[in-house]
Amino acid sequence: MELKINQIILHLLDPGASEPLLSDRPMDLDADLFDYFTTVLERAFATDEAKNCRFSPDSAFAQEMAHNQDFVDLSRRIAGVIFEQMLQYPAIPAGDLAVVDFTADAVPFYGVLKLNYRPGYTHHTETMGNGRFSSMVPQRTLLPGTPKADEAALIDRANGAVRMIEKKFQLDEKKDFYLSTRVFGCTEALQERAKLKAVCETAVAAVKEAYPEPEELDDVPPFDGGTETAVELMVCNQAVDNTISVEDVRTRMREAYPLAAPKFEQALADTGVREDDRVTVSPARMRRMESRSFKTESGIEIKIPAELCNSDDAVEFIHSATGGLSLLIKDVLV
């Protein structure tokens, strides 16, 4: 994903100050700040903690964004609405709000990044008479040292889709979200993890139904769970920059498992995943799919790259007459 940051404005939202400290112009970006916010945005796109949302028809923010092209004024309005929520609900943590005008693969976005304060300490030095002493003093408004937003909204200005990272806080008599419902007026679609699970499980079920005998498939290794592993790997192999196009999965299903493709497409539609959806796969999930682990009864564990499990030139799975399974590893270098 290619990110281009055009401008960033920073507002300070601390209910202890009774009113927000709003900036009148975007901040100056040096190389370090540019790298910091680029990483924050990349992580917000990549995390599977985010959920996909759409603006409700009566979303006041969507109407405001459609008619207000003044970036500074729009950012101040967002900060003001969030600050009102913080005054009303003390459980919402104080923090700085960075509003970012940027593009992702040439698509225009607004990024609303809430960087909640962390308590900590810093040093303090005093000179008394001929002596000097240093001590530590508490700080309650330290920003995150790790470039990661605690709460965020990535707003696709081209199609109105919103990628939301939010947490529940005590609102009135229960814990609930406030960003999606009270600030932006969004309704939630399937979460990324749920969407990926729906794609994988639907694909696996369709393949197992169409090909009940794994031997019928050329690219499925003959061990328990082989079909499931092969199909999930096929799905995740469609990822580009940790993002999977559902249309790419549908195309690959038609090529690799033609008998399963119609059932897959029909069942996928019932899950709520749309044909034009894009699914984010976390780097951690991608790493888990890169290899397959095998463990013997004696505790010996072998990890093999997933793509080699399908290669007869690298490994061979041998079924014994008693139902056991042996693994032959070829071309071992010692």
Side-chain angles (χ1 to χ4, degrees):
M1 176 178 294
E2 182 180 353
L3 295 178
K4 179 185 177 183
I5 296 177
N6 300 316
Q7 52 187 336
I8 303 177
I9 190 166
L10 191 70
H11 304 297
L12 280 56
L13 308 181
D14 186 352
S18 74
E19 63 181 22
L21 183 58
L22 303 180
S23 299
D24 297 314
R25 68 177 185 87
M27 64 193 297
D28 296 325
L29 288 177
D30 59 19
D32 289 337
L33 284 175
F34 181 85
D35 289 343
Y36 179 90
F37 282 106
T38 298
T39 302
V40 171
L41 292 170
E42 289 175 342
R43 289 184 173 180
F45 273 110
T47 180
D48 58 3
E49 296 178 359
K51 57 186 179 182
N52 292 325
C53 299
R54 290 276 178 180
F55 290 118
S56 302
D58 58 350
S59 169
F61 174 80
Q63 297 175 21
E64 174 75 20
M65 186 178 67
H67 296 93
N68 190 348
Q69 304 303 311
D70 187 330
F71 171 70
V72 173
D73 182 64
L74 181 64
S75 74
R76 289 168 63 95
R77 290 176 179 270
I78 296 171
V81 173
I82 293 177
F83 191 77
E84 289 176 0
Q85 294 296 312
M86 294 167 66
L87 288 179
Q88 185 174 357
Y89 303 109
I92 300 175
D96 286 358
L97 188 75
V99 183
V100 188
D101 171 13
F102 72 102
T103 60
D105 293 334
V107 177
F109 275 83
Y110 283 141
V112 181
L113 311 173
K114 189 158 177 280
L115 310 172
N116 294 337
Y117 298 146
R118 270 81 163 159
Y121 289 86
T122 188
H123 59 262
H124 175 72
T125 301
E126 292 186 27
T127 300
M128 298 183 63
N130 295 325
R132 178 185 300 162
F133 76 96
S134 297
S135 62
M136 296 174 63
V137 293
Q139 297 286 321
R140 69 178 188 86
T141 58
L142 295 177
L143 291 172
T146 302
K148 179 182 178 182
D150 300 283
E151 306 166 65
L154 305 178
I155 304 164
D156 186 328
R157 295 161 59 192
N159 64 15
V162 183
R163 185 165 174 77
M164 187 78 63
I165 302 172
E166 62 178 343
K167 299 179 180 180
K168 288 185 176 182
F169 299 102
Q170 192 68 36
L171 310 180
D172 297 324
E173 298 180 353
K174 67 174 184 177
K175 283 191 173 184
D176 205 350
F177 298 117
Y178 76 97
L179 273 184
S180 58
T181 57
R182 299 167 184 258
V183 176
F184 294 106
C186 293
T187 56
E188 181 182 355
L190 280 175
Q191 291 189 8
E192 294 298 280
R193 280 177 290 189
K195 191 181 297 185
L196 177 61
K197 182 179 179 182
V199 173
C200 287
E201 290 185 349
T202 304
V204 169
V207 172
K208 285 186 173 180
E209 180 177 333
Y211 303 91
E213 299 298 332
E215 305 83 62
E216 300 175 25
L217 302 176
D218 294 334
D219 57 349
V220 175
F223 54 81
D224 292 341
T227 301
E228 183 174 349
T229 299
V231 174
E232 287 191 356
L233 185 62
M234 181 275 293
V235 172
C236 289
N237 278 344
Q238 308 313 306
V240 178
D241 293 331
N242 295 109
T243 302
I244 293 175
S245 165
V246 173
E247 180 56 35
D248 288 346
V249 176
R250 295 171 70 236
T251 299
R252 183 65 183 130
M253 282 287 292
R254 297 189 198 107
E255 295 171 350
Y257 310 111
L259 298 181
K263 179 66 176 179
F264 167 71
E265 295 178 7
Q266 178 184 355
L268 189 64
D270 295 337
T271 69
V273 178
R274 302 180 308 181
E275 295 180 4
D276 61 347
D277 268 343
R278 302 185 68 84
V279 184
T280 298
V281 188
S282 69
R285 177 65 182 266
M286 291 298 295
R287 287 193 296 271
R288 288 196 297 271
M289 291 298 300
E290 288 175 354
S291 62
R292 172 83 175 173
S293 292
F294 302 90
K295 198 169 186 178
T296 68
E297 292 183 355
S298 59
I300 299 175
E301 185 172 4
I302 300 173
K303 185 176 290 187
I304 301 175
E307 65 271 15
L308 294 184
C309 289
N310 304 331
S311 172
D312 291 337
D313 296 331
V315 296
E316 184 176 345
F317 298 91
I318 304 170
H319 287 275
S320 68
T322 59
L325 182 67
S326 296
L327 174 64
L328 175 62
I329 303 175
K330 303 178 181 180
D331 295 327
V332 176
L333 299 179
V334 294

